[in-house]
Amino acid sequence: MFNHKTVSTFNSLENKVYNYVIKNLNTVIYMTIRELAVNSEVSTATVSRFCKKMEFEGYSEFKAYLKLYLEQEKKIHLPHGADEILSFFKSINNDDFDQLIDNAAEHIVAAERVIFVGAGSSGTLGKYGARFFSNIGKFSNHIDDPYYPVTTDMYKNAVAIVLSVSGETPEIIKLAKQFLIHHCKVISITSNNQSTLSKMADFNVSYHVSRLLIENEYDITTQVPVIYILESIGRKLVNKISV
């Protein structure tokens, strides 16, 4: 509801309103503008400016949006238990998926180096993937900073494995383009085989799970499929390298 860019524009008085609102969401929806001002220890004019910065016409519209937001939050149903993961494993328990993993490994086997790319939780998995591949004898490193300067030397005899749940993160797509421009092979692993990243990659491995976002911003989609895919590709590599 409150994005960081907007919050950063608040002055000290508007911050008082903001801090009171986020701590008392369920009661603010019943307050008048004067009551909120008194409880926040500011003027009604400050509350009005706060609403304007939040891009609402006035306090009434802000309260209406806040009420709707709280109602939607109550309806969020987060899957738990093993059903979602079991469904994923059932969907890949076939020869087609095994062949897909084998093809991915084939794209990597001749490379001198593997570069894992990702941001956020995907960046953390990229670090894990780099260690896992290094353990099997394939020199690997990772980039979890989307603004990392990519040098020409990085592209030589390398394969980039780019991780992104949505496949639409602008900074990650920009990095992937840099690898492609320099004729470095790109393998994408995403949950959407129709995403920008999937379509631009030389080879794509997609998985299908429900994407979950908190407040339309914080991604808590399960990453179990990504770990399984990375380890499966790595194990295929072991056989190909040892041949």
Side-chain angles (χ1 to χ4, degrees):
M1 179 179 178
F2 297 97
N3 64 67
H4 299 301
K5 185 176 180 181
T6 300
V7 173
S8 67
T9 67
F10 293 158
N11 61 32
S12 59
L13 293 177
E14 291 157 356
N15 263 317
K16 283 188 172 184
V17 181
Y18 167 71
N19 289 328
Y20 185 85
V21 169
I22 61 175
K23 293 176 182 177
N24 302 276
L25 292 172
N26 291 293
T27 56
V28 170
I29 59 175
Y30 301 109
M31 289 182 175
T32 64
I33 187 171
R34 182 171 295 278
E35 288 172 333
L36 177 56
V38 169
N39 282 281
S40 303
E41 300 180 339
V42 299
S43 67
T44 55
T46 296
V47 175
S48 294
R49 286 196 302 271
F50 168 83
C51 295
K52 291 288 186 181
K53 284 191 176 181
M54 290 289 294
E55 299 185 352
F56 295 107
E57 289 298 323
Y59 182 65
S60 295
E61 186 180 350
F62 168 70
K63 278 208 311 180
Y65 179 86
L66 184 59
K67 185 177 181 181
L68 180 62
Y69 167 80
L70 291 173
E71 289 174 352
Q72 291 175 337
E73 282 292 289
K74 291 177 182 178
K75 294 177 183 178
I76 291 177
H77 174 70
L78 300 180
H80 61 279
D83 289 348
E84 183 180 25
I85 304 304
L86 288 174
S87 177
F88 163 71
F89 282 116
K90 287 178 182 178
S91 72
I92 63 169
N93 188 27
N94 54 66
D95 293 338
D96 288 341
F97 190 81
D98 188 62
Q99 186 60 53
L100 183 69
I101 295 298
D102 191 76
N103 290 343
E106 198 63 46
H107 278 76
I108 301 168
V109 65
E112 293 181 5
R113 176 168 58 167
V114 179
I115 304 169
F116 288 84
V117 180
S121 56
S122 292
T124 301
L125 290 181
K127 183 177 181 180
Y128 172 77
R131 179 54 190 261
F132 190 86
F133 275 44
S134 293
N135 285 348
I136 65 175
K138 179 64 70 173
F139 175 66
S140 306
N141 58 356
H142 74 284
I143 298 174
D144 56 7
D145 177 359
Y147 302 103
Y148 191 89
V150 181
T151 62
T152 304
D153 290 341
M154 294 180 65
Y155 305 112
K156 294 179 180 178
N157 300 316
V159 170
I161 298 181
V162 185
L163 311 177
S164 173
V165 176
S166 68
E168 298 294 348
T169 306
E171 295 82 3
I172 296 302
I173 291 172
K174 183 178 178 180
L175 269 177
K177 285 180 179 178
Q178 289 298 311
F179 284 106
L180 290 169
I181 288 171
H182 290 81
H183 308 291
C184 176
K185 194 171 294 182
V186 171
I187 296 175
S188 63
I189 300 179
T190 78
S191 68
N192 181 4
N193 61 4
Q194 295 301 310
S195 67
T196 301
L197 178 60
S198 300
K199 291 180 178 180
M200 68 189 290
D202 295 294
F203 190 80
N204 177 65
V205 180
S206 60
Y207 55 93
H208 302 286
V209 294
S210 300
R211 191 174 180 212
L212 301 176
L213 296 176
I214 298 295
E215 298 181 7
N216 292 318
E217 182 175 1
Y218 303 107
D219 199 322
I220 59 169
T221 306
T222 178
Q223 296 279 14
V224 171
V226 180
I227 295 174
Y228 178 79
I229 290 168
L230 290 176
E231 291 184 354
S232 296
I233 294 173
R235 288 174 182 141
K236 287 281 187 179
L237 276 175
V238 172
N239 295 329
K240 294 179 181 295
I241 292 172
S242 60
V243 171

PDB file of all heavy atoms in Angstrom, residues 72-85 209-222:
ATOM      1  N   GLN A  72      -9.253  -6.888   1.335  1.00  0.00           N
ATOM      2  CA  GLN A  72      -8.519  -7.768   0.423  1.00  0.00           C
ATOM      3  C   GLN A  72      -7.459  -8.569   1.163  1.00  0.00           C
ATOM      4  O   GLN A  72      -7.223  -9.735   0.867  1.00  0.00           O
ATOM      5  CB  GLN A  72      -7.879  -6.950  -0.698  1.00  0.00           C
ATOM      6  CG  GLN A  72      -8.887  -6.367  -1.663  1.00  0.00           C
ATOM      7  CD  GLN A  72      -8.251  -5.466  -2.695  1.00  0.00           C
ATOM      8  OE1 GLN A  72      -7.163  -4.923  -2.485  1.00  0.00           O
ATOM      9  NE2 GLN A  72      -8.918  -5.288  -3.817  1.00  0.00           N
ATOM     10  N   GLU A  73      -6.810  -7.931   2.138  1.00  0.00           N
ATOM     11  CA  GLU A  73      -5.788  -8.616   2.917  1.00  0.00           C
ATOM     12  C   GLU A  73      -6.369  -9.807   3.670  1.00  0.00           C
ATOM     13  O   GLU A  73      -5.747 -10.851   3.807  1.00  0.00           O
ATOM     14  CB  GLU A  73      -5.146  -7.648   3.915  1.00  0.00           C
ATOM     15  CG  GLU A  73      -4.137  -6.702   3.299  1.00  0.00           C
ATOM     16  CD  GLU A  73      -2.889  -7.420   2.815  1.00  0.00           C
ATOM     17  OE1 GLU A  73      -2.093  -7.876   3.649  1.00  0.00           O
ATOM     18  OE2 GLU A  73      -2.716  -7.538   1.585  1.00  0.00           O
ATOM     19  N   LYS A  74      -7.603  -9.655   4.162  1.00  0.00           N
ATOM     20  CA  LYS A  74      -8.249 -10.733   4.905  1.00  0.00           C
ATOM     21  C   LYS A  74      -8.561 -11.927   4.006  1.00  0.00           C
ATOM     22  O   LYS A  74      -8.677 -13.052   4.463  1.00  0.00           O
ATOM     23  CB  LYS A  74      -9.548 -10.231   5.543  1.00  0.00           C
ATOM     24  CG  LYS A  74      -9.324  -9.234   6.676  1.00  0.00           C
ATOM     25  CD  LYS A  74     -10.642  -8.723   7.222  1.00  0.00           C
ATOM     26  CE  LYS A  74     -10.425  -7.693   8.322  1.00  0.00           C
ATOM     27  NZ  LYS A  74     -11.710  -7.149   8.825  1.00  0.00           N
ATOM     28  N   LYS A  75      -8.704 -11.652   2.698  1.00  0.00           N
ATOM     29  CA  LYS A  75      -9.077 -12.714   1.761  1.00  0.00           C
ATOM     30  C   LYS A  75      -7.878 -13.489   1.226  1.00  0.00           C
ATOM     31  O   LYS A  75      -8.040 -14.486   0.536  1.00  0.00           O
ATOM     32  CB  LYS A  75      -9.844 -12.109   0.574  1.00  0.00           C
ATOM     33  CG  LYS A  75     -11.186 -11.517   0.965  1.00  0.00           C
ATOM     34  CD  LYS A  75     -11.861 -10.872  -0.228  1.00  0.00           C
ATOM     35  CE  LYS A  75     -13.176 -10.222   0.163  1.00  0.00           C
ATOM     36  NZ  LYS A  75     -13.814  -9.549  -1.002  1.00  0.00           N
ATOM     37  N   ILE A  76      -6.675 -13.002   1.511  1.00  0.00           N
ATOM     38  CA  ILE A  76      -5.482 -13.668   0.994  1.00  0.00           C
ATOM     39  C   ILE A  76      -5.391 -15.076   1.574  1.00  0.00           C
ATOM     40  O   ILE A  76      -5.422 -15.272   2.786  1.00  0.00           O
ATOM     41  CB  ILE A  76      -4.201 -12.878   1.344  1.00  0.00           C
ATOM     42  CG1 ILE A  76      -4.179 -11.569   0.556  1.00  0.00           C
ATOM     43  CG2 ILE A  76      -2.948 -13.693   1.027  1.00  0.00           C
ATOM     44  CD1 ILE A  76      -3.000 -10.691   0.879  1.00  0.00           C
ATOM     45  N   HIS A  77      -5.296 -16.040   0.694  1.00  0.00           N
ATOM     46  CA  HIS A  77      -5.158 -17.435   1.139  1.00  0.00           C
ATOM     47  C   HIS A  77      -3.810 -17.954   0.677  1.00  0.00           C
ATOM     48  O   HIS A  77      -3.551 -18.091  -0.516  1.00  0.00           O
ATOM     49  CB  HIS A  77      -6.282 -18.300   0.563  1.00  0.00           C
ATOM     50  CG  HIS A  77      -6.103 -19.758   0.859  1.00  0.00           C
ATOM     51  ND1 HIS A  77      -6.242 -20.276   2.131  1.00  0.00           N
ATOM     52  CD2 HIS A  77      -5.779 -20.800   0.047  1.00  0.00           C
ATOM     53  CE1 HIS A  77      -6.015 -21.590   2.095  1.00  0.00           C
ATOM     54  NE2 HIS A  77      -5.744 -21.919   0.833  1.00  0.00           N
ATOM     55  N   LEU A  78      -2.948 -18.216   1.616  1.00  0.00           N
ATOM     56  CA  LEU A  78      -1.619 -18.704   1.282  1.00  0.00           C
ATOM     57  C   LEU A  78      -1.590 -20.220   1.398  1.00  0.00           C
ATOM     58  O   LEU A  78      -1.940 -20.769   2.449  1.00  0.00           O
ATOM     59  CB  LEU A  78      -0.575 -18.086   2.228  1.00  0.00           C
ATOM     60  CG  LEU A  78      -0.475 -16.563   2.193  1.00  0.00           C
ATOM     61  CD1 LEU A  78       0.589 -16.101   3.183  1.00  0.00           C
ATOM     62  CD2 LEU A  78      -0.153 -16.061   0.803  1.00  0.00           C
ATOM     63  N   PRO A  79      -1.209 -20.913   0.329  1.00  0.00           N
ATOM     64  CA  PRO A  79      -1.151 -22.372   0.402  1.00  0.00           C
ATOM     65  C   PRO A  79      -0.111 -22.827   1.408  1.00  0.00           C
ATOM     66  O   PRO A  79       0.926 -22.194   1.586  1.00  0.00           O
ATOM     67  CB  PRO A  79      -0.745 -22.767  -1.028  1.00  0.00           C
ATOM     68  CG  PRO A  79      -0.071 -21.566  -1.580  1.00  0.00           C
ATOM     69  CD  PRO A  79      -0.750 -20.382  -0.957  1.00  0.00           C
ATOM     70  N   HIS A  80      -0.419 -23.899   2.090  1.00  0.00           N
ATOM     71  CA  HIS A  80       0.541 -24.457   3.029  1.00  0.00           C
ATOM     72  C   HIS A  80       0.479 -25.975   2.926  1.00  0.00           C
ATOM     73  O   HIS A  80      -0.390 -26.540   2.261  1.00  0.00           O
ATOM     74  CB  HIS A  80       0.232 -23.999   4.465  1.00  0.00           C
ATOM     75  CG  HIS A  80      -1.108 -24.435   4.958  1.00  0.00           C
ATOM     76  ND1 HIS A  80      -2.256 -23.750   4.623  1.00  0.00           N
ATOM     77  CD2 HIS A  80      -1.483 -25.475   5.726  1.00  0.00           C
ATOM     78  CE1 HIS A  80      -3.287 -24.347   5.185  1.00  0.00           C
ATOM     79  NE2 HIS A  80      -2.858 -25.402   5.852  1.00  0.00           N
ATOM     80  N   GLY A  81       1.396 -26.631   3.565  1.00  0.00           N
ATOM     81  CA  GLY A  81       1.439 -28.077   3.437  1.00  0.00           C
ATOM     82  C   GLY A  81       2.181 -28.491   2.176  1.00  0.00           C
ATOM     83  O   GLY A  81       2.821 -27.677   1.509  1.00  0.00           O
ATOM     84  N   ALA A  82       2.043 -29.751   1.817  1.00  0.00           N
ATOM     85  CA  ALA A  82       2.848 -30.312   0.730  1.00  0.00           C
ATOM     86  C   ALA A  82       2.121 -30.343  -0.612  1.00  0.00           C
ATOM     87  O   ALA A  82       2.727 -30.698  -1.623  1.00  0.00           O
ATOM     88  CB  ALA A  82       3.292 -31.732   1.103  1.00  0.00           C
ATOM     89  N   ASP A  83       0.848 -29.967  -0.656  1.00  0.00           N
ATOM     90  CA  ASP A  83       0.060 -30.131  -1.880  1.00  0.00           C
ATOM     91  C   ASP A  83       0.680 -29.431  -3.089  1.00  0.00           C
ATOM     92  O   ASP A  83       0.775 -30.012  -4.172  1.00  0.00           O
ATOM     93  CB  ASP A  83      -1.361 -29.603  -1.669  1.00  0.00           C
ATOM     94  CG  ASP A  83      -2.166 -30.507  -0.752  1.00  0.00           C
ATOM     95  OD1 ASP A  83      -1.689 -31.626  -0.483  1.00  0.00           O
ATOM     96  OD2 ASP A  83      -3.251 -30.096  -0.303  1.00  0.00           O
ATOM     97  N   GLU A  84       1.085 -28.179  -2.908  1.00  0.00           N
ATOM     98  CA  GLU A  84       1.630 -27.421  -4.027  1.00  0.00           C
ATOM     99  C   GLU A  84       2.924 -28.046  -4.546  1.00  0.00           C
ATOM    100  O   GLU A  84       3.119 -28.174  -5.753  1.00  0.00           O
ATOM    101  CB  GLU A  84       1.890 -25.974  -3.601  1.00  0.00           C
ATOM    102  CG  GLU A  84       2.404 -25.108  -4.745  1.00  0.00           C
ATOM    103  CD  GLU A  84       2.663 -23.677  -4.326  1.00  0.00           C
ATOM    104  OE1 GLU A  84       2.908 -23.442  -3.124  1.00  0.00           O
ATOM    105  OE2 GLU A  84       2.641 -22.794  -5.191  1.00  0.00           O
ATOM    106  N   ILE A  85       3.793 -28.471  -3.635  1.00  0.00           N
ATOM    107  CA  ILE A  85       5.070 -29.066  -4.032  1.00  0.00           C
ATOM    108  C   ILE A  85       4.853 -30.428  -4.670  1.00  0.00           C
ATOM    109  O   ILE A  85       5.485 -30.763  -5.681  1.00  0.00           O
ATOM    110  CB  ILE A  85       6.008 -29.194  -2.812  1.00  0.00           C
ATOM    111  CG1 ILE A  85       6.211 -27.820  -2.151  1.00  0.00           C
ATOM    112  CG2 ILE A  85       7.344 -29.772  -3.237  1.00  0.00           C
ATOM    113  CD1 ILE A  85       6.727 -26.761  -3.074  1.00  0.00           C
ATOM    114  N   VAL A 209       4.087 -23.014 -10.772  1.00  0.00           N
ATOM    115  CA  VAL A 209       3.550 -22.946  -9.412  1.00  0.00           C
ATOM    116  C   VAL A 209       2.801 -21.622  -9.288  1.00  0.00           C
ATOM    117  O   VAL A 209       2.975 -20.715 -10.101  1.00  0.00           O
ATOM    118  CB  VAL A 209       4.656 -23.022  -8.333  1.00  0.00           C
ATOM    119  CG1 VAL A 209       5.339 -24.373  -8.353  1.00  0.00           C
ATOM    120  CG2 VAL A 209       5.675 -21.900  -8.510  1.00  0.00           C
ATOM    121  N   SER A 210       1.968 -21.515  -8.270  1.00  0.00           N
ATOM    122  CA  SER A 210       1.233 -20.275  -8.057  1.00  0.00           C
ATOM    123  C   SER A 210       2.186 -19.181  -7.595  1.00  0.00           C
ATOM    124  O   SER A 210       2.958 -19.378  -6.656  1.00  0.00           O
ATOM    125  CB  SER A 210       0.146 -20.482  -6.991  1.00  0.00           C
ATOM    126  OG  SER A 210      -0.762 -21.467  -7.403  1.00  0.00           O
ATOM    127  N   ARG A 211       2.114 -18.044  -8.271  1.00  0.00           N
ATOM    128  CA  ARG A 211       2.953 -16.922  -7.848  1.00  0.00           C
ATOM    129  C   ARG A 211       2.235 -16.155  -6.740  1.00  0.00           C
ATOM    130  O   ARG A 211       1.079 -15.772  -6.888  1.00  0.00           O
ATOM    131  CB  ARG A 211       3.250 -15.993  -9.025  1.00  0.00           C
ATOM    132  CG  ARG A 211       4.341 -14.981  -8.664  1.00  0.00           C
ATOM    133  CD  ARG A 211       4.759 -14.141  -9.823  1.00  0.00           C
ATOM    134  NE  ARG A 211       5.793 -13.203  -9.391  1.00  0.00           N
ATOM    135  CZ  ARG A 211       5.967 -12.006  -9.891  1.00  0.00           C
ATOM    136  NH1 ARG A 211       5.192 -11.579 -10.860  1.00  0.00           N
ATOM    137  NH2 ARG A 211       6.920 -11.216  -9.434  1.00  0.00           N
ATOM    138  N   LEU A 212       2.931 -15.921  -5.636  1.00  0.00           N
ATOM    139  CA  LEU A 212       2.335 -15.263  -4.484  1.00  0.00           C
ATOM    140  C   LEU A 212       3.049 -13.958  -4.170  1.00  0.00           C
ATOM    141  O   LEU A 212       4.270 -13.924  -4.005  1.00  0.00           O
ATOM    142  CB  LEU A 212       2.404 -16.186  -3.254  1.00  0.00           C
ATOM    143  CG  LEU A 212       1.693 -17.537  -3.394  1.00  0.00           C
ATOM    144  CD1 LEU A 212       1.927 -18.379  -2.153  1.00  0.00           C
ATOM    145  CD2 LEU A 212       0.201 -17.327  -3.624  1.00  0.00           C
ATOM    146  N   LEU A 213       2.273 -12.878  -4.108  1.00  0.00           N
ATOM    147  CA  LEU A 213       2.812 -11.569  -3.782  1.00  0.00           C
ATOM    148  C   LEU A 213       2.083 -11.004  -2.568  1.00  0.00           C
ATOM    149  O   LEU A 213       0.864 -11.112  -2.473  1.00  0.00           O
ATOM    150  CB  LEU A 213       2.642 -10.591  -4.953  1.00  0.00           C
ATOM    151  CG  LEU A 213       3.398 -10.902  -6.253  1.00  0.00           C
ATOM    152  CD1 LEU A 213       3.027  -9.890  -7.312  1.00  0.00           C
ATOM    153  CD2 LEU A 213       4.893 -10.887  -6.012  1.00  0.00           C
ATOM    154  N   ILE A 214       2.842 -10.425  -1.664  1.00  0.00           N
ATOM    155  CA  ILE A 214       2.268  -9.714  -0.534  1.00  0.00           C
ATOM    156  C   ILE A 214       2.265  -8.234  -0.870  1.00  0.00           C
ATOM    157  O   ILE A 214       3.299  -7.673  -1.243  1.00  0.00           O
ATOM    158  CB  ILE A 214       3.076  -9.955   0.757  1.00  0.00           C
ATOM    159  CG1 ILE A 214       3.065 -11.444   1.119  1.00  0.00           C
ATOM    160  CG2 ILE A 214       2.525  -9.116   1.904  1.00  0.00           C
ATOM    161  CD1 ILE A 214       1.700 -12.002   1.469  1.00  0.00           C
ATOM    162  N   GLU A 215       1.084  -7.609  -0.753  1.00  0.00           N
ATOM    163  CA  GLU A 215       0.923  -6.189  -1.065  1.00  0.00           C
ATOM    164  C   GLU A 215       1.362  -5.879  -2.499  1.00  0.00           C
ATOM    165  O   GLU A 215       1.850  -4.787  -2.792  1.00  0.00           O
ATOM    166  CB  GLU A 215       1.699  -5.308  -0.074  1.00  0.00           C
ATOM    167  CG  GLU A 215       1.225  -5.459   1.365  1.00  0.00           C
ATOM    168  CD  GLU A 215       1.986  -4.562   2.315  1.00  0.00           C
ATOM    169  OE1 GLU A 215       2.795  -3.729   1.857  1.00  0.00           O
ATOM    170  OE2 GLU A 215       1.769  -4.686   3.533  1.00  0.00           O
ATOM    171  N   ASN A 216       1.193  -6.874  -3.381  1.00  0.00           N
ATOM    172  CA  ASN A 216       1.545  -6.719  -4.796  1.00  0.00           C
ATOM    173  C   ASN A 216       2.999  -6.338  -5.027  1.00  0.00           C
ATOM    174  O   ASN A 216       3.362  -5.808  -6.066  1.00  0.00           O
ATOM    175  CB  ASN A 216       0.646  -5.666  -5.470  1.00  0.00           C
ATOM    176  CG  ASN A 216      -0.778  -6.112  -5.577  1.00  0.00           C
ATOM    177  OD1 ASN A 216      -1.061  -7.257  -5.902  1.00  0.00           O
ATOM    178  ND2 ASN A 216      -1.702  -5.209  -5.282  1.00  0.00           N
ATOM    179  N   GLU A 217       3.847  -6.639  -4.051  1.00  0.00           N
ATOM    180  CA  GLU A 217       5.247  -6.226  -4.167  1.00  0.00           C
ATOM    181  C   GLU A 217       6.218  -7.297  -3.706  1.00  0.00           C
ATOM    182  O   GLU A 217       7.229  -7.557  -4.365  1.00  0.00           O
ATOM    183  CB  GLU A 217       5.470  -4.942  -3.358  1.00  0.00           C
ATOM    184  CG  GLU A 217       6.881  -4.390  -3.448  1.00  0.00           C
ATOM    185  CD  GLU A 217       7.033  -3.062  -2.728  1.00  0.00           C
ATOM    186  OE1 GLU A 217       6.041  -2.566  -2.141  1.00  0.00           O
ATOM    187  OE2 GLU A 217       8.153  -2.519  -2.745  1.00  0.00           O
ATOM    188  N   TYR A 218       5.943  -7.939  -2.582  1.00  0.00           N
ATOM    189  CA  TYR A 218       6.907  -8.864  -1.993  1.00  0.00           C
ATOM    190  C   TYR A 218       6.588 -10.299  -2.423  1.00  0.00           C
ATOM    191  O   TYR A 218       5.550 -10.856  -2.072  1.00  0.00           O
ATOM    192  CB  TYR A 218       6.902  -8.734  -0.462  1.00  0.00           C
ATOM    193  CG  TYR A 218       7.188  -7.327  -0.010  1.00  0.00           C
ATOM    194  CD1 TYR A 218       6.185  -6.516   0.509  1.00  0.00           C
ATOM    195  CD2 TYR A 218       8.472  -6.789  -0.128  1.00  0.00           C
ATOM    196  CE1 TYR A 218       6.447  -5.216   0.904  1.00  0.00           C
ATOM    197  CE2 TYR A 218       8.740  -5.487   0.260  1.00  0.00           C
ATOM    198  CZ  TYR A 218       7.724  -4.709   0.773  1.00  0.00           C
ATOM    199  OH  TYR A 218       7.977  -3.420   1.160  1.00  0.00           O
ATOM    200  N   ASP A 219       7.523 -10.871  -3.177  1.00  0.00           N
ATOM    201  CA  ASP A 219       7.319 -12.188  -3.767  1.00  0.00           C
ATOM    202  C   ASP A 219       7.668 -13.292  -2.770  1.00  0.00           C
ATOM    203  O   ASP A 219       8.788 -13.372  -2.287  1.00  0.00           O
ATOM    204  CB  ASP A 219       8.200 -12.325  -5.020  1.00  0.00           C
ATOM    205  CG  ASP A 219       7.712 -13.440  -5.938  1.00  0.00           C
ATOM    206  OD1 ASP A 219       7.284 -14.480  -5.421  1.00  0.00           O
ATOM    207  OD2 ASP A 219       7.756 -13.248  -7.158  1.00  0.00           O
ATOM    208  N   ILE A 220       6.680 -14.145  -2.454  1.00  0.00           N
ATOM    209  CA  ILE A 220       6.927 -15.287  -1.569  1.00  0.00           C
ATOM    210  C   ILE A 220       6.585 -16.595  -2.285  1.00  0.00           C
ATOM    211  O   ILE A 220       6.216 -17.583  -1.654  1.00  0.00           O
ATOM    212  CB  ILE A 220       6.146 -15.165  -0.242  1.00  0.00           C
ATOM    213  CG1 ILE A 220       4.639 -15.073  -0.504  1.00  0.00           C
ATOM    214  CG2 ILE A 220       6.630 -13.982   0.562  1.00  0.00           C
ATOM    215  CD1 ILE A 220       3.812 -15.218   0.746  1.00  0.00           C
ATOM    216  N   THR A 221       6.721 -16.583  -3.607  1.00  0.00           N
ATOM    217  CA  THR A 221       6.518 -17.802  -4.389  1.00  0.00           C
ATOM    218  C   THR A 221       7.540 -18.860  -3.971  1.00  0.00           C
ATOM    219  O   THR A 221       8.713 -18.548  -3.762  1.00  0.00           O
ATOM    220  CB  THR A 221       6.676 -17.509  -5.895  1.00  0.00           C
ATOM    221  OG1 THR A 221       5.801 -16.445  -6.258  1.00  0.00           O
ATOM    222  CG2 THR A 221       6.366 -18.743  -6.729  1.00  0.00           C
ATOM    223  N   THR A 222       7.106 -20.103  -3.849  1.00  0.00           N
ATOM    224  CA  THR A 222       8.029 -21.162  -3.447  1.00  0.00           C
ATOM    225  C   THR A 222       9.186 -21.282  -4.431  1.00  0.00           C
ATOM    226  O   THR A 222       9.003 -21.179  -5.654  1.00  0.00           O
ATOM    227  CB  THR A 222       7.311 -22.518  -3.338  1.00  0.00           C
ATOM    228  OG1 THR A 222       8.285 -23.525  -2.992  1.00  0.00           O
ATOM    229  CG2 THR A 222       6.637 -22.920  -4.648  1.00  0.00           C
TER     230      THR A 222
END
